[in-house]
Amino acid sequence: MDKFVIKGGPRLQGEIPIGGSKNSALPALAAALLTDEPVTLRRIPRVRDIRTMQRLLVDIGSHAEVDGETIRLDTPRIVSSEAPYELVKTMRASSLVLGPLVARTGRARVSLPGGCAIGARPINLHLHGLEQLGARIHQSHGYIEAEAPEGLRGATIHFDRITVTGTEDLVMAAVLARGETILRNAAREPEVADLCALLVKMGAQIEGAGTSTIHIRGVEKLHGADHTIIADRIEAGTFLIAGAITGGDVTIADCVPEHVGALVAKLLQAGAEVTQTGATSVQICAPKRLRSVDVTTEEYPGFATDLQAQYMALMTQAQGIAIVVETIFENRFMHAQELARMGANIRLEGRQAIVAGPSELTGAGVIASDLRASASLVLAALAARGETVIDRVYHIDRGYEKIEAKLARVGGQIRRVE
Ligand code: EPU
């Protein structure tokens, strides 16, 4: 298993290019199952979750051709309508094939995801929505079986709570359903809008993507398309925080500045200078010491839960007390204990973490518990005295492409050891 060895101290300076969004690429790949014509997806990040999804699609019947950041998927026939436990347990987003499979073939068998490092993460809302579209759902032997032999039919679905992949799954189910579907309290995340943009290129009729009410008029058939995935806003946010935590001067290139708006607002309040330097670039110039600023995670356009761990690392270095409230997942504070091992002063009280800063962080051996928690440890290590060794970096490889190379190009002292 690979480890990262990071020597803290250097002030990061320079430009970091952002890759395509993992959480946008995953549903886009699943959407290719909706047609028997080829779908070409560009700017696909080369991360482990994408390879897992690709494996799943190949098992289902897709032919995949990969050329750098471009994947061409061709699924003339579905040979298996199943997402097995072996894949779903390593990547919960595998449940994104549920909607497309039921829509295209009238049946799907998908393993239930089970618990995970950041919370229970059930898929009941995906299933409830599919039932409303006319699917019959059974559960047995740890698998969900969905069947709609006569095809799906449009319905009005009101989500009990906002779910990103749930919205994506149901949009993909509804595009081939008979009649009109209205999704209310839908997720407004840019990844949902990006998926809808791809589906529209494939011939779907969708209105309201990116808002909380999405209207879909079902069509008989979808066709092939060519689509470029949006920039990864969480990668962009992580590197903005890397600039901030090292008192650096870093330009984040090839991103969508609007998508990191909530984080930028916090960084400005904390005393950093953040400037949009072009249509797709943002520069952060941070003083040695920032002020503590509270944060509460929310659905988009609020502060992303996927940046909470990284922001907490930053607050260990800011002056004052910051209250970090996690409202999306019930157990997403695993990084707090590891940050404390490096010297951070963090008290957990239910869904809130009270971070008292600044603390002097010192290098230590730490363990990555999930993707974003690992990113927060990398950031803390960049600001720590001495050397930090982060174990189990396969978590970080699930969602960041060559994070060590990107940090090294702006002066970070980080290397991967096998
Ligand atoms: N929820 C339910 N029932 C459901 C679905 C969700 O109770 O059927 C709950 C969840 O347990 C959670 C909340 O609703 O408490 C929101 O979960 P959501 O469904 O929105 O999360 P997700 O779609 O499983 C996506 C991202 C996550 C990101 C969340 C929240 C992908 C592939 N994953 O997950 O990304 O944290 O939205 O923004 O898009 C990551 O990239 O590190 C990551 C975890």
Side-chain angles (χ1 to χ4, degrees):
M1 256 188 276
D2 291 4
K3 294 181 178 138
F4 280 154
V5 179
I6 301 171
K7 201 159 173 297
R11 179 172 178 262
L12 301 187
Q13 262 179 304
E15 187 177 284
I16 305 181
I18 299 305
S21 158
K22 163 184 83 85
N23 288 349
S24 207
L26 288 169
L29 289 164
L33 294 176
L34 288 163
T35 173
D36 57 8
E37 293 182 18
V39 173
T40 301
L41 299 171
R42 301 177 194 277
R43 204 181 185 190
I44 296 283
R46 282 164 289 191
V47 298
R48 212 159 55 96
D49 275 6
I50 296 296
R51 290 193 289 274
T52 307
M53 182 59 97
Q54 199 183 311
R55 244 175 67 205
L56 175 58
L57 297 183
V58 168
D59 284 355
I60 288 174
S62 304
H63 305 288
E65 254 175 58
V66 180
D67 177 13
E69 292 186 345
T70 302
I71 298 188
R72 185 174 182 273
L73 288 160
D74 193 0
T75 319
R77 220 165 52 81
I78 303 289
V79 295
S80 154
S81 286
E82 182 166 313
Y85 180 58
E86 289 65 46
L87 290 180
V88 179
K89 76 175 183 212
T90 63
M91 190 186 66
R92 314 175 60 80
S94 312
S95 55
L96 281 168
V97 299
L98 191 56
L101 282 176
V102 183
R104 177 143 169 211
T105 68
R107 81 172 283 276
R109 187 167 184 268
V110 174
S111 169
L112 273 170
C116 103
I118 61 176
R121 301 186 76 185
I123 57 164
N124 58 309
L125 300 172
H126 304 223
L127 301 178
H128 186 56
L130 280 174
E131 272 177 337
Q132 285 172 283
L133 294 176
R136 284 195 302 272
I137 309 278
H138 309 277
Q139 182 188 334
S140 65
H141 307 291
Y143 278 77
I144 289 295
E145 283 184 26
E147 277 182 317
E150 314 293 313
L152 298 170
R153 50 177 158 66
T156 296
I157 297 169
H158 189 110
F159 288 102
D160 267 355
R161 67 176 291 177
I162 297 175
T163 160
V164 178
T165 51
T167 301
E168 293 163 349
D169 223 356
L170 290 177
V171 168
M172 290 190 280
V175 287
L176 290 179
R178 277 190 314 279
E180 197 186 0
T181 298
I182 302 174
L183 302 179
R184 295 196 196 280
N185 201 25
R188 291 181 288 166
E189 268 64 7
E191 294 77 17
V192 175
D194 196 31
L195 168 68
C196 292
L198 163 65
L199 291 168
V200 166
K201 287 183 190 165
M202 292 169 71
Q205 294 191 9
I206 305 175
E207 272 170 33
T211 75
S212 55
T213 304
I214 304 179
H215 287 257
I216 301 150
R217 185 169 293 283
V219 296
E220 203 132 289
K221 209 172 166 344
L222 293 180
H223 51 73
D226 189 315
H227 183 71
T228 302
I229 300 295
I230 55 169
D232 196 310
R233 64 193 168 100
I234 306 302
E235 188 193 20
T238 302
F239 289 130
L240 277 172
I241 297 175
I245 205 168
T246 61
D249 181 352
V250 175
T251 297
I252 310 298
D254 308 327
C255 66
V256 183
E258 186 192 336
H259 292 174
V260 287
L263 170 66
V264 167
K266 292 290 163 186
L267 294 171
L268 289 169
Q269 266 176 281
E273 268 177 51
V274 188
T275 336
Q276 186 171 335
T277 46
T280 59
S281 58
V282 182
Q283 181 183 14
I284 179 157
C285 197
K288 233 178 146 11
R289 190 65 67 209
L290 292 173
R291 291 184 290 278
S292 295
V293 178
D294 296 347
V295 80
T296 298
T297 62
E298 277 168 23
E299 291 88 0
Y300 189 82
F303 191 97
T305 172
D306 288 345
L307 287 171
Q308 177 259 107
Q310 301 89 316
Y311 186 82
M312 192 186 293
L314 177 63
M315 286 302 106
T316 69
Q317 298 308 291
Q319 181 72 49
I321 304 246
I323 300 185
V324 177
V325 183
E326 173 58 56
T327 69
I328 308 293
F329 292 109
E330 69 268 28
N331 186 29
R332 206 173 197 182
F333 282 146
M334 303 277 274
H335 43 283
Q337 285 87 342
E338 296 301 301
L339 291 172
R341 296 195 58 248
M342 296 176 72
N345 182 349
I346 303 171
R347 192 154 50 86
L348 297 183
E349 279 181 10
R351 289 197 168 203
Q352 64 178 28
I354 299 143
V355 188
S359 327
E360 194 196 19
L361 300 181
T362 52
V366 287
I367 290 187
S369 57
D370 76 72
L371 171 57
R372 308 304 171 186
S374 328
S376 97
L377 297 177
V378 169
L379 296 173
L382 291 172
R385 187 160 52 79
E387 200 171 81
T388 298
V389 179
I390 305 181
D391 207 346
R392 299 199 196 157
V393 301
Y394 60 83
H395 283 296
I396 216 164
D397 293 332
R398 291 186 52 184
Y400 290 91
E401 183 174 338
K402 298 218 176 83
I403 193 171
E404 70 277 26
K406 289 190 179 184
L407 287 172
R409 67 179 266 170
V410 292
Q413 293 196 8
I414 168 168
R415 64 195 162 86
R416 182 186 288 263
V417 293
E418 286 181 13

